[in-house]
Amino acid sequence: MTLRLGDTAPDFTQDSTEGPISFHEWAGDSWVVLFSHPKDFTPVCTTELGYTAKLVPEFAKRNVKVIGLSVDPLDDHKSWVGDIQETQGQALNFPLLADPDRKVSDLYDMIHPNANDTLTVRSVFIIDPNKKIRLMLTYPASTGRNFDEILRTIDSLQLTDGYKVATPVNWKQGEDVIIVPSLSNEDAKKLFPQGWDEQKPYLRVTKQPNV
Ligand code: BEZ
């Protein structure tokens, strides 16, 4: 099954470094970042997991839980965790799913056979508290992802949900945002009493509401 934005994130039960996880129950009312990495004991993955673990407080501030996955078995995950702490200076503080039967990888289409027929690519799914998939990224094995960018996309998604604004190119926290085109000027006046800069009828720039 092809997953698309807006689809319900498939539920599953799978083993992890923090014990068996029933995904929807584990997610609860949080947002979730579910991401796959190709293999344990590999250099790029080691750096990604260490850095993501350092960002866990930032994810928590945004009500986001993080969960990783590879097709390697749980015993491998458990012995690799020590290497992550030793080399990245940070203990793993979120669960890593062990998916040797590819249950989750297949559900989320994380194995791309023309890239590699056994290893997962670097997929990222951002899932909202209603269990809807809100963002998907796919990177090749050799390119480490930018997890600051993943935090930035969560900020953008949460702003859109909370304030009916979209974020322009290269937007960062605190910068101006765009009133969503679906909102009439009449309704916009109620939500944005400070006004906006109407560069075109469809391009209405305003201050970020929640700063
Ligand atoms: C890595 O994580 O370093 C890696 C994994 C698979 C292929 C290439 C690099």
Side-chain angles (χ1 to χ4, degrees):
M1 187 181 73
T2 309
L3 291 176
R4 298 199 171 117
L5 300 188
D7 290 353
T8 298
D11 198 13
F12 57 80
T13 299
Q14 187 60 292
D15 234 350
S16 85
T17 47
E18 297 187 7
I21 285 189
S22 291
F23 185 56
H24 282 191
E25 188 188 342
W26 174 83
D29 294 329
S30 297
W31 289 70
V32 172
V33 175
L34 167 65
F35 68 104
S36 56
H37 60 266
K39 203 166 171 41
D40 294 3
F41 302 105
T42 48
V44 177
C45 301
T46 303
T47 61
E48 282 191 337
L49 291 172
Y51 191 80
T52 306
K54 288 179 186 159
L55 284 185
V56 158
E58 286 300 318
F59 284 113
K61 271 188 215 163
R62 295 159 172 84
N63 187 31
V64 180
K65 290 182 176 174
V66 180
I67 185 164
L69 168 149
S70 88
V71 291
D72 286 327
L74 192 56
D75 283 350
D76 283 1
H77 283 9
K78 285 184 173 164
S79 36
W80 184 33
V81 159
D83 292 357
I84 295 169
Q85 171 142 32
E86 183 189 326
T87 61
Q88 308 305 305
Q90 170 66 50
L92 200 69
N93 50 7
F94 57 86
L96 264 191
L97 294 162
D99 196 41
D101 61 1
R102 300 179 174 197
K103 192 197 301 180
V104 184
S105 313
D106 286 343
L107 269 178
Y108 282 80
D109 200 19
M110 290 165 164
I111 294 179
H112 296 197
N114 290 326
N116 187 301
D117 57 9
T118 53
L119 307 180
T120 43
V121 292
R122 295 188 195 281
S123 299
V124 181
F125 292 86
I126 298 181
I127 298 161
D128 72 17
N130 295 320
K131 312 290 180 291
K132 298 295 179 200
I133 298 173
R134 300 290 297 276
L135 184 142
M136 295 189 287
L137 291 172
T138 308
Y139 274 45
S142 51
T143 304
R145 288 156 289 197
N146 182 334
F147 281 80
D148 295 325
E149 166 63 4
I150 292 167
L151 269 181
R152 192 189 74 91
T153 61
I154 290 166
D155 286 339
S156 171
L157 288 165
Q158 294 185 345
L159 266 178
T160 304
D161 286 3
Y163 301 96
K164 296 193 191 304
V165 293
T167 53
V169 60
N170 293 346
W171 170 86
K172 292 191 285 301
Q173 268 292 353
E175 294 180 354
D176 287 353
V177 296
I178 292 170
I179 299 171
V180 293
S182 58
L183 199 69
S184 68
N185 276 348
E186 198 185 354
D187 288 338
K189 275 183 203 144
K190 293 176 208 143
L191 289 180
F192 306 99
Q194 77 280 16
W196 58 86
D197 171 21
E198 186 160 316
Q199 300 177 10
K200 289 282 177 192
Y202 58 82
L203 178 51
R204 297 170 294 177
V205 178
T206 192
K207 297 280 170 220
Q208 181 179 328
N210 62 341
V211 288

